[in-house]
Amino acid sequence: MSPAYDVVIAGGGVAGLAVAWRAARRGLSVAVADPTPGGGATHASAGMLAPVSEVTYTEEPLLRLGLASLAAWPAFRAALEDESGIELDYRTDGTLEVARSADDMAFLDDLAAFERTLGLRVERLTGRECRSFEPMLAPSVRGGLLARDDAWVNPRRVVRALLTAFEKAGGVLVSEHVAEIGASGTGGPSVRLTNGDTVPAGQVVVAAGSWSASLLPGLPVRPVKGEILRLRGPQGFLTRCVRGLVHGSPAYLVPRGDGEITLGATVQELGHDERVTAGGVYELLRDARELVPGITELELAETTVGFRPGTPDNLPIIGPAGPPGVFAATGHGRNGVLLCPITADAVAAFLTGDEPPQVIGSCHPGRFSQ
């Protein structure tokens, strides 16, 4: 019989690792079961912390959750960098949303009016002003919005930092997937690993991303496929996130401090289809070229597929789920990196019997059975 832990976390993406780190810092013995921590949706993620520029007319609970987590990011980052010694490439230059036509600009103007009713800070820019911020933008850009409060971070550095900080806090990595959650002989939960070992645990957290429903069948979490490209060019090619609507599809470009640019992303309901398609690569490059023509001169360094864990209402699932002692931290969709601080604080509170942040009330797992 494997040793028991206070907490076993099924899944080592950014949500699971953040919960593990926070729980270990509270003095709990914690194991994370995942053979490739950070190798799923987090590995493909662009790392945008952008609740303002991603706001939609029907998702105000998600906006409130995103703003609360964005506000928690500076302290989360400072603690993580301090404890891991790894710099996260965390940047706060905002998001530039650009329009290529009068219709696109009318859409952005309507969006800005809605954002202002919510108290969000956005600035209307002319095409010339957009290009003064980002000279590589196409001459055809008519105007745009600047969401100064948005930020972004390198998600792969976040994973490395979380792994380092978690292990320094006494956490244990188990290089197996969780195959099943059951009951232990003491009445608490236990997990069966893919190698057949059974690990008794005081509590279990399901943070398995788009595979979470295989462990808790009542969770309505599905994979939403996204193809993402990473390009490499000179430092300063872009200085902030650039977003635009091209051929009816949203496109974004996220620069890193080392000259990498993450370009994404397709959205496809194809299950766990791991193929990078020629059509997906073509569409991403075509749309990006409409916004930033010089993008086609950069090196194509990587093509990646990720599976966002989607839910019916686009809110994550956070809290008690299934048998006693089992909690969910999943369903973050495209916002896993943004929401990892608030998720970690909430689940760590559940695990230790404390009061979680009030803002996560809309994320309770039982909402789908009501």
Side-chain angles (χ1 to χ4, degrees):
M1 179 73 68
S2 299
Y5 299 93
D6 293 330
V7 182
V8 172
I9 297 177
V14 71
L17 290 174
V19 169
W21 174 50
R22 290 298 211 206
R25 291 174 91 219
R26 292 187 177 214
L28 299 176
S29 62
V30 184
V32 172
D34 193 325
T36 56
T42 305
H43 186 73
S45 168
M48 289 184 292
L49 314 177
V52 176
S53 60
E54 292 202 345
V55 69
T56 67
Y57 293 99
T58 60
E59 295 182 353
E60 290 184 39
L62 181 60
L63 170 65
R64 290 193 294 271
L65 187 69
L67 290 173
S69 201
L70 180 64
W73 251 102
F76 182 87
R77 169 227 181 170
L80 185 54
E81 289 186 337
D82 180 62
E83 294 184 27
S84 69
I86 296 173
E87 193 271 322
L88 303 184
D89 193 14
Y90 173 83
R91 304 174 70 179
T92 58
D93 297 296
T95 299
L96 184 61
E97 300 180 83
V98 300
R100 298 168 49 258
S101 68
D103 288 344
D104 290 343
M105 197 64 243
F107 172 81
L108 287 185
D109 283 336
D110 288 344
L111 181 62
F114 173 66
E115 289 172 330
R116 293 186 184 108
T117 67
L118 300 175
L120 303 178
R121 189 167 65 128
V122 292
E123 300 174 31
R124 171 69 151 81
L125 303 176
T126 65
R128 178 175 294 179
E129 289 170 330
C130 288
R131 283 183 289 276
S132 72
F133 281 114
E134 296 295 340
M136 299 304 293
L137 285 173
S140 58
V141 166
R142 300 283 292 268
L145 303 176
L146 179 61
R148 289 188 182 271
D149 295 326
D150 282 351
W152 70 97
V153 70
N154 187 326
R156 297 182 182 181
R157 291 194 187 183
V158 173
V159 165
R160 291 198 299 272
L162 285 170
L163 285 169
T164 300
F166 171 58
E167 291 188 304
K168 283 185 176 180
V172 175
L173 289 173
V174 178
S175 295
E176 297 285 341
H177 286 299
V178 172
E180 185 179 19
I181 298 173
S184 69
T186 61
S190 69
V191 299
R192 182 175 60 82
L193 304 176
T194 48
N195 66 0
D197 287 350
T198 298
V199 182
Q203 300 174 100
V204 174
V205 179
V206 175
S210 63
W211 288 269
S212 294
S214 66
L215 299 177
L216 288 175
L219 294 184
V221 179
R222 72 188 192 283
V224 181
K225 178 183 176 181
E227 295 171 86
I228 295 177
L229 310 182
R230 280 176 166 78
L231 310 177
R232 190 162 300 280
Q235 292 185 17
F237 182 86
L238 292 176
T239 61
R240 55 184 47 76
C241 294
V242 172
R243 302 171 65 104
L245 192 67
V246 183
H247 303 295
S249 299
Y252 59 77
L253 301 96
V254 182
R256 308 285 178 219
D258 61 0
E260 179 183 280
I261 294 177
T262 301
L263 167 59
T266 64
V267 178
Q268 299 164 306
E269 300 279 354
L270 294 174
H272 288 109
D273 175 8
E274 297 182 352
R275 298 174 303 151
V276 176
T277 64
V281 173
Y282 165 74
E283 290 171 8
L284 289 171
L285 290 173
R286 177 200 65 190
D287 293 354
R289 186 175 182 273
E290 296 278 353
L291 303 176
V292 183
I295 206 78
T296 53
E297 299 176 14
L298 305 185
E299 174 191 356
L300 177 58
E302 181 183 305
T303 59
T304 311
V305 168
F307 302 105
R308 311 171 186 90
T311 66
D313 58 8
N314 292 329
L315 282 167
I317 301 173
I318 303 171
V326 178
F327 300 86
T330 187
H332 293 82
R334 65 186 185 273
N335 295 302
V337 179
L338 167 64
L339 298 178
C340 73
I342 198 78
T343 300
D345 288 343
V347 178
F350 281 122
L351 293 172
T352 54
D354 295 330
E355 190 70 25
Q358 187 174 3
V359 73
I360 69 145
S362 58
C363 304
H364 62 93
R367 69 187 186 272
F368 298 109
S369 59
Q370 293 176 351

